[in-house]
Amino acid sequence: MNQNNEIPAGYWQDAKGSLVPESMIKPIDKARNELVYEVVEKALELREALAKFKASTFADIDAFVELSAEEYDVKLGGKKGNVTLHSFDGRYKIVRSIQEHIAFDERLQAARELIDACLKEWTKDSVPELKAIIDRAFDVDKEGKINTARVLGLRRLDIKDERWLKAMTAVSEALQVVGSKSYIRLYKRVGDSQQYVPISLDLAGV
């Protein structure tokens, strides 16, 4: 394998790192190589342009939200929430959404202990379905993560036991926002209807 980054004149480097004389490379292989490089280089330019578009769009929306707030002498601080902006004619709209990523801290283990204590005492009178719901809520996926929606769903169970209520408080307090991701989505109205369809910036959706 050629360890030198500089390829000698008259040679091409193949996928294994070996040097191949250009005279031995078939025209169809050269044409394929040219096509792949041309398409990928254009794609990299587009990706950079999209990254710049995304950054400038977020900045423009933030600036507009601040400007709009100033109309009412309001100063916005901290993270800004979801925003929907329509063009004057209603033909287009922009949606800026922020999706928070949540997880549980160590207090969830305390909640599980309290719940298990309740289940042991309720064994005689409790229905198997309740235990199944609780066990399923605390199941982990292949990555070892707990489904937050299932655990939070336990709070909707109508159980008045003091330990259960304490456990549900622990569940709520164990919930932490560990990060967030912002999205920009563009939409175009369908004719004169109230229906909007996405303007796709995904190559697969064009």
Side-chain angles (χ1 to χ4, degrees), residues 136-167:
R136 185 167 178 265
F138 284 91
D139 279 345
V140 296
D141 59 20
K142 293 179 181 179
E143 298 177 352
K145 296 180 181 179
I146 287 179
N147 187 308
T148 54
R150 290 177 184 172
V151 175
L152 294 175
L154 296 177
R155 299 181 302 177
R156 294 195 295 270
L157 297 176
D158 187 20
I159 299 175
K160 305 300 184 185
D161 187 287
E162 185 177 341
R163 287 167 303 176
W164 177 271
L165 296 177
K166 188 176 181 180

Side-chain angles (χ1 to χ4, degrees), residues 79-157:
K79 280 192 175 181
K80 301 166 182 62
N82 300 338
V83 174
T84 300
L85 306 174
H86 289 84
S87 63
F88 188 76
D89 60 6
R91 185 179 182 187
Y92 300 109
K93 72 175 178 178
I94 303 172
V95 176
R96 195 247 346 245
S97 59
I98 299 176
Q99 179 181 342
E100 292 184 334
H101 299 283
I102 58 176
F104 292 105
D105 63 21
E106 76 286 347
R107 284 173 287 189
L108 186 64
Q109 297 303 318
R112 182 66 203 256
E113 292 296 326
L114 290 167
I115 291 171
D116 285 343
C118 291
L119 287 176
K120 287 179 181 178
E121 187 170 314
W122 300 340
T123 301
K124 293 181 180 179
D125 300 324
S126 65
V127 293
E129 287 78 8
L130 176 59
K131 186 176 186 307
I133 290 172
I134 294 171
D135 287 341
R136 185 167 178 265
F138 284 91
D139 279 345
V140 296
D141 59 20
K142 293 179 181 179
E143 298 177 352
K145 296 180 181 179
I146 287 179
N147 187 308
T148 54
R150 290 177 184 172
V151 175
L152 294 175
L154 296 177
R155 299 181 302 177
R156 294 195 295 270
L157 297 176

Side-chain angles (χ1 to χ4, degrees), residues 26-67:
K26 297 178 181 179
I28 190 64
D29 293 331
K30 292 181 179 180
R32 184 188 305 109
N33 181 75
E34 183 179 355
L35 172 63
V36 171
Y37 265 87
E38 182 181 338
V39 171
V40 171
E41 285 170 1
K42 288 180 179 178
L44 292 175
E45 291 175 3
L46 282 173
R47 185 180 69 172
E48 184 177 352
L50 280 173
K52 290 179 179 178
F53 166 75
K54 180 179 178 181
S56 64
T57 301
F58 275 118
D60 288 344
I61 291 175
D62 285 345
F64 176 78
V65 171
E66 290 285 355
L67 177 65

Side-chain angles (χ1 to χ4, degrees), residues 1 8 15 34 49 53 55 83 128 144-145 158 169 173 177 188-189:
M1 180 176 289
E34 183 179 355
F53 166 75
V83 174
K145 296 180 181 179
D158 187 20
T169 298
E173 293 178 350
V177 177
K188 179 180 179 180
R189 191 171 67 183

Side-chain angles (χ1 to χ4, degrees), residues 1-4 7 12-20:
M1 180 176 289
N2 180 34
Q3 299 297 326
N4 194 335
I7 300 173
W12 284 28
Q13 189 176 51
D14 66 13
K16 296 179 180 179
S18 302
L19 293 176
V20 180

